[in-house]
Amino acid sequence: MGGVEAEERYEVNHQQYQHGLTRRELLRWMATSAGVVCVGPLSGCSSLWERQPVIPVEAWHKGVCRFCGTGCGIQIGVRGGRVVDVKGDEYAHNKGRLCIKGVLNRDILYTQDRALHPLIRRDGELQQATWDEAMTLIARRFREAIDRFGPHSVAFYGSGQLFTQESYTANKLFKAGIGTNNVEGNPRLCMASAAAGYVSVFGMDEPLGCYEDIDAADCFFVTGSNMAECHPVLWERILDRKRSQPGTFIIVVDPRRTMTARHADLHLDILPGTDVALFNAMIYEFILQGFVDTDMVEHYLTFREGTRTRTYADLRRHVAQYTPERVADICGVSARQISEAAFRFASSKATMSLWTMGLNQQSQGTAANRLVMALHLLTGQIGQPGATPFSLTGQPNAGGGVRDTGALAHALPNGRIVTSPKDRHEMEDLWGVPRGRISAKPGYHAVALFEAMERGDVKCCLVMCTNPAQSLPNVERHRRAMRKAFLVVADAFHPTETTQLADVVLPAALWTEKEGVFSQSERRYHLVPKLVDPPGEARSDLKILVEMADRLGYGALISARNPREVWEEWRQISAHSKYDFSGITYVRLQKERGLLWPCPSEDHPGTCRRYVPGEDPLARGKGRFDFYGRPNGRVVIWLHEQEQPKDPTTDAFPLVLTTGRVLEHWHTMTITGRLEALTGIHPNFLEIHPQDAALLGIKEGEEVVVRSRRGQADFIARLTDTIRPGLVFATFHSARHLVNRATNDVYDPFSKQPEYKLCAVLIDRKR
Ligand SMILES: Nc1nc2c(c(=O)[nH]1)N[C@H]1C(S)=C(S)[C@@H](COP(=O)(O)OP(=O)(O)OC[C@H]3O[C@@H](n4cnc5c(=O)[nH]c(N)nc54)[C@H](O)[C@@H]3O)O[C@H]1N2
Ligand SMILES: Nc1nc2c(c(=O)[nH]1)N[C@H]1C(S)=C(S)[C@@H](COP(=O)(O)OP(=O)(O)OC[C@H]3O[C@@H](n4cnc5c(=O)[nH]c(N)nc54)[C@H](O)[C@@H]3O)O[C@H]1N2
Ligand code: SF4
Ligand SMILES: [Mo]
């Protein structure tokens, strides 16, 4: 049975379960009873949980939510070898709150379709096999490819949902063992533009501020982020701030009137992909209204355009053409709204920007990131409580697990890059491998990796904890590539869209069936303990990687073999960098509710605000800042032009499609799609403005087909004026209503992150 059929089966079950409730009815039902553990836009939805019979708990253990990059602390109740209850951890940053996904953490372990045994494809069918058979086959195929076609013929495609120990080990095995930089993963689809933004502006990755900044900010600039659905507990903290300080001003920039935008004091519903113009116009207004911080310009900033050095005077000339009046036409909002956004941003005591995929998933994603950082740097809205640019990390461990460990094709640990001989040599020495072992050639970034599989250049790929056959853009093309390669997929569930294409499926242990470290948006490293045994023959991803290393002959290199050993190795490596968290010992992780790096010694409490002398242990001097990631201590303001859309609308494709998420479901729904509690919530809809629907003769609830230059998918029309005319929206949650058949795999030239947030489409009634 395939993923799509599985979805159909659940839908049937679900109808019975939810007594036919619509989503709105379900939300209302959940909202009617008060509760404290569960918040979000559906405040009080804990009733859903509390109404279920809860088995008495033997022991509570502290842990972290499995889902988003908010990284809520939770208490996990265990009895008789099973997780029987969860509740928000009152002593963690979320103060006991959880959103609906957090509340459902218990249930994810005990749904149908857990992958229980290794499977090997024989005569075209996936058949049960032993671990020994599966690992023997994998080792043979990888070894043959490496010996015949060289190390670059194999690859690892991982995930921001793996534990740090797992991503670190995979990275070390492939880069320092096998000798290829073909180590990629879904963070490329997610946080690459933010990482490229931070590195090119500050010289180092990861946000500067922390969640406490929310409690001190007077203005929130939420752009390209639907926090109310995607980071609900953090969003609730913003609403707390607004409740306690009613003057707090919330600006939301989003082409849709999302649950987040409904709370905004100012909502700019810009046309997708026009953020660069908007930010340039805000800079224009800062200059005009006299909000530029001259001390910043004199002492801490430098200016650049492409490879050329620029000056502040050049910036003024550059933005002169981005008048609010002109940009109003580009963005489809009013000039007054733009001026007000700039005024509120710059004049508030402390402004905090928060952003996610609305900026990152654009072909100008890096430019948009650089500019939102520039808004803060030019106005001096930085480094004070509440004043900071702050990208929200999507997955529970895209930051610590993948960005910090350098488990991407161009990267090495702690900000090093494979093209730098110095960086390679440092890592070769730290890893104890001969000079020259780490390849100087960057590996394939995500889209290029699947293209290389299509060409036959990459012969074998280990996919771990991600479902690319659903989540990649222009996905049919990349599915063909996956069919061609020898594909090994480690997943906790089967079937998924990707396990169905696999030659070998490895059953993986899930959250709390294995131990490891996650890191959330504010650079907090925290531990998820192993509390129960995995079902069937499932194993942790770390164990799979260690065994693969042994079988390929790299057992001596991968000498750290359990979560604690790997962590101890990794934290000590960090001491040789400016991403120093060597003070976060395993014992501290076990005791404390996470720690924020930098944390260079065992008695250091962790750092809230980076680059600020007196707060950041690595910052020196007495100035306002020490931007120690940059050689001259000056950070970079980048000059960027707004570009034309890469997939323009025409008469044949007159509408723009944008894609995203809903509160209750997680990504490709391999987990949340199997939860009984969510069976009434089908993300099968296409949001379309009533005006467009009328022109096309489409009615509410009718089946429609979305066609792009690449492919098509079916949806159910949902008419709503929360979306702009000319724009339609679908989620990528459903394998059956697979929007990624239509999305575009064009990517940002710097970050290589694909442009999921806009492509041209035609909508038809389904005939
Ligand atoms: N419930 C839930 N929460 C999640 C996840 C999930 O699957 N489900 N996934 C997690 C992950 S990995 C991630 S990356 C985050 C994503 O979190 P978000 O980025 O908040 O979520 P999205 O829905 O992908 O996109 C956010 C918004 O961007 C807007 N947008 C589209 N185009 C543009 C544009 O050109 N400019 C601007 N300014 N906005 C635009 C969309 O209308 C959408 O409302 O969520 C995390 N949290
Ligand atoms: N159209 C469109 N597409 C998008 C996006 C978008 O906004 N629009 N967003 C992109 C973004 S930001 C992201 S992050 C990606 C997410 O895309 P994916 O990573 O492909 O989505 P997930 O459903 O999170 O896949 C995780 C897989 O790991 C499995 N799993 C869970 N826990 C474990 C474990 O511990 N070990 C192992 N081995 N397996 C496990 C799950 O069953 C699931 O199959 O999607 C991208 N795709
Ligand atoms: S906000 Fe994110 S981390 Fe917190 S409970 Fe919800 S899904 Fe989990
Ligand atoms: Mo993501």
Side-chain angles (χ1 to χ4, degrees), residues 28 41 49 96 250 263 331 420 449 457 480 497 509 602 659 714 717 732:
R28 205 186 305 127
W49 178 253
I250 302 178
H263 292 267
C331 295
S420 153
L449 173 63
D457 291 344
R480 282 197 294 280
E497 293 306 297
E602 293 183 22
T659 64
D714 298 349
F732 71 108

Side-chain angles (χ1 to χ4, degrees), residues 64-72 99 101 159-162 186-195 198 206-207 211 224-227 229-232 234 354-358 360-361 390-400 402-403 518-523 526 661 663 665-667 732 753 757:
V64 186
C65 173
R66 160 70 184 76
F67 292 102
C68 85
T70 302
C72 292
C99 81
K101 292 181 298 305
S159 171
Q161 299 164 62
L162 285 170
N186 62 13
R188 183 74 67 181
L189 317 174
C190 183
M191 299 310 297
S193 298
Y198 284 118
E206 297 276 6
Y211 292 167
S225 175
N226 183 9
M227 290 184 73
E229 300 204 59
C230 295
H231 295 86
L234 275 188
L354 301 116
W355 71 95
T356 332
M357 293 307 116
N360 294 359
Q361 292 175 338
F390 194 86
S391 61
L392 294 162
T393 308
Q395 298 176 85
N397 201 25
V402 176
R403 286 154 68 183
F518 274 165
S519 156
Q520 34 82 314
S521 299
E522 60 171 351
R523 311 181 313 282
H526 44 191
R661 297 157 167 79
L663 169 72
H665 281 297
W666 181 255
H667 296 166
F732 71 108
Q753 178 162 351
K757 287 290 182 264

Side-chain angles (χ1 to χ4, degrees), residues 718-765:
R718 175 190 283 177
L719 274 50
T720 171
D721 67 358
T722 58
I723 194 158
R724 290 185 66 106
L727 184 67
V728 292
F729 170 84
T731 76
F732 71 108
H733 295 310
S734 169
R736 201 166 141 197
H737 308 274
L738 185 53
V739 79
N740 278 330
R741 290 208 174 98
T743 49
N744 197 353
D745 54 0
V746 66
Y747 45 81
D748 176 277
F750 307 102
S751 67
K752 318 289 194 258
Q753 178 162 351
E755 182 160 66
Y756 290 105
K757 287 290 182 264
L758 76 142
C759 72
V761 291
L762 172 73
I763 313 294
D764 267 334
R765 292 162 67 186

